[in-house]
C-alpha cells in the first residue's frame, strides 16, 4: 500500500536496500523482497519510506506498508503501479534483482498489532489496503499466536486479489484465521455472493461481535475506511479499538 512520505522523519536513518527476489501479485502489483543490512526489525502494520535517486541527483520518495513478518534483515513491500507516478512505476516495472534503493523505517506506532495480545482481531482491507493486514496474519503465524483473526477483504475482481496463494489458503499456523472476500465488480464463477460492496450485514456476520471486544484494523482508500469504521462503531465496537489507515488516489506515487 502506498502512502505519502511525510516530513518529521529526519531522525530515522536511510539504509541501502537491495532487491533479492520478487513475485507478481496481480498484473499491476509486485511484491519486492529486499535485503536491508542493519534492519532493526518492525511491528506488523508499520511502513517504510522508499527513496529513489536519479543520476542528476534528483530524488523522489514514497511510503509503503511492510507486507512481511518480522524476519531478520529481509523486508517485503507489495507495490501497486500508479500510472503517471514517480516511484511506483519504477518499482513495479523496472526495479530488478541486484538493484538498490534506500529505505527509512520502520515508521508508525498506532496501526500495529501487538503479537503478545490474546485479544481477537478483525482485519478489514480494501484493495491494496490488505498489505499491512497481511503482515499481521504472517506475524501471527510466525510467533505461533492463538489470537483469533477474522479477515474481510474487499476487492474489485478475482484478478485484482492480492496474496491469492496464501490469504485464505490454509497453512501451518493459520488455525483460527477466517477469511471472507467481497468482490465489488465481478465475482468468480460459481460464487454464492453477487458482486457488491462490503456491507454492514457482512461486517457483522464475518467479523466478531462487539461484546467480544476485538481490536479492529481498517485499511484502504479514504471512502472505504470511513464507511467501514462507521459501520463498526454503529455495530457497537468501541471507537478506541477501531484503528484506521487510509490513502488517497496516490496520483503521485
Amino acid at each position: 500500500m502506498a502512502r505519502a512520505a511525510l516530513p518529521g522523519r529526519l531522525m530515522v536513518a536511510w539504509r541501502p536496500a537491495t532487491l533479492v527476489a520478487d513475485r507478481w501479485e496481480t498484473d499491476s502489483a509486485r511484491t519486492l523482497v529486499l535485503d536491508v543490512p542493519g534492519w532493526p526489525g518492525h511491528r506488523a502494520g508499520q511502513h517504510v519510506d522508499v527513496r529513489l535517486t536519479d543520476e542528476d541527483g534528483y530524488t523522489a520518495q514514497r511510503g509503503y506498508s511492510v507486507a512481511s513478518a518480522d524476519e531478520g534483515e529481509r523486508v517485503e513491500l507489495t507495490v501497486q503501479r500508479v500510472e503517471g507516478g514517480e516511484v511506483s512505476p519504477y518499482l513495479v516495472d523496472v526495479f530488478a534483482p541486484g538493484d538498490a534503493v534506500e529505505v527509512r523505517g520502520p515508521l508508525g506506532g498506532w496501526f500495529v498489532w501487538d503479537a503478545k495480545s490474546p485479544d481477537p482481531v478483525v482485519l478489514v482491507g480494501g484493495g491494496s489496503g490488505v498489505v499491512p493486514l497481511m503482515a499481521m496474519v504472517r506475524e501471527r503465524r510466525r510467533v505461533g499466536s492463538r489470537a483469533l483473526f477474522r479477515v474481510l477483504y474487499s476487492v474489485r475482481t478475482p484478478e485484482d486479489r492480492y496474496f491469492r496463494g496464501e490469504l485464505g489458503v490454509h497453512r501451518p499456523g493459520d488455525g483460527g484465521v477466517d477469511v471472507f472476500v467481497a468482490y465489488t465488480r465481478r465475482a468468480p464463477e460459481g460464487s454464492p455472493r453477487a458482486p457488491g460492496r462490503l456491507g454492514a450485514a457482512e461486517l457483522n456476520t464475518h467479523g466478531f461481535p462487539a461484546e467480544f471486544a476485538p481490536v479492529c484494523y481498517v485499511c484502504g482508500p479514504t471512502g472505504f475506511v470511513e464507511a467501514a469504521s462507521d459501520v463498526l462503531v454503529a455495530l457497537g465496537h468501541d471507537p478506541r479499538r477501531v484503528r484506521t489507515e487510509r490513502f488517497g488516489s496516490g496520483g503521485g506515487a
Side-chain angles (χ1 to χ4, degrees), residues 7-8 12 20 31 51 54 64 85 89 91 100 115 122 143 180 187 213 226 238:
V12 182
V20 294
T31 291
R51 182 167 69 182
D54 205 347
Y64 295 99
L91 294 177
V122 176
V143 302
F180 173 77
E226 291 179 350
D238 184 345

Side-chain angles (χ1 to χ4, degrees), residues 147-168:
L148 298 178
F149 273 35
R150 291 193 175 174
V151 184
L152 296 91
Y153 181 19
S154 175
V155 63
R156 292 180 178 180
T157 72
E159 292 75 23
D160 294 315
R161 181 175 172 178
Y162 288 18
F163 315 120
R164 279 174 283 181
E166 182 177 359
L167 187 62

Side-chain angles (χ1 to χ4, degrees), residues 124-205:
V124 185
S128 62
V130 75
V131 173
L133 309 183
M134 189 71 235
M136 297 179 190
V137 173
R138 288 169 168 163
E139 183 68 7
R140 177 190 183 277
R141 183 186 303 146
R142 186 188 74 84
V143 302
S145 170
R146 294 187 178 182
L148 298 178
F149 273 35
R150 291 193 175 174
V151 184
L152 296 91
Y153 181 19
S154 175
V155 63
R156 292 180 178 180
T157 72
E159 292 75 23
D160 294 315
R161 181 175 172 178
Y162 288 18
F163 315 120
R164 279 174 283 181
E166 182 177 359
L167 187 62
V169 178
H170 180 74
R171 292 195 174 193
D174 282 355
V177 177
D178 295 322
V179 179
F180 173 77
V181 181
Y183 296 97
T184 62
R185 295 194 178 179
R186 180 171 54 80
E189 185 176 352
S191 173
R193 180 187 185 276
R197 294 182 178 180
L198 189 64
E202 291 167 326
L203 284 166
N204 187 42
T205 300

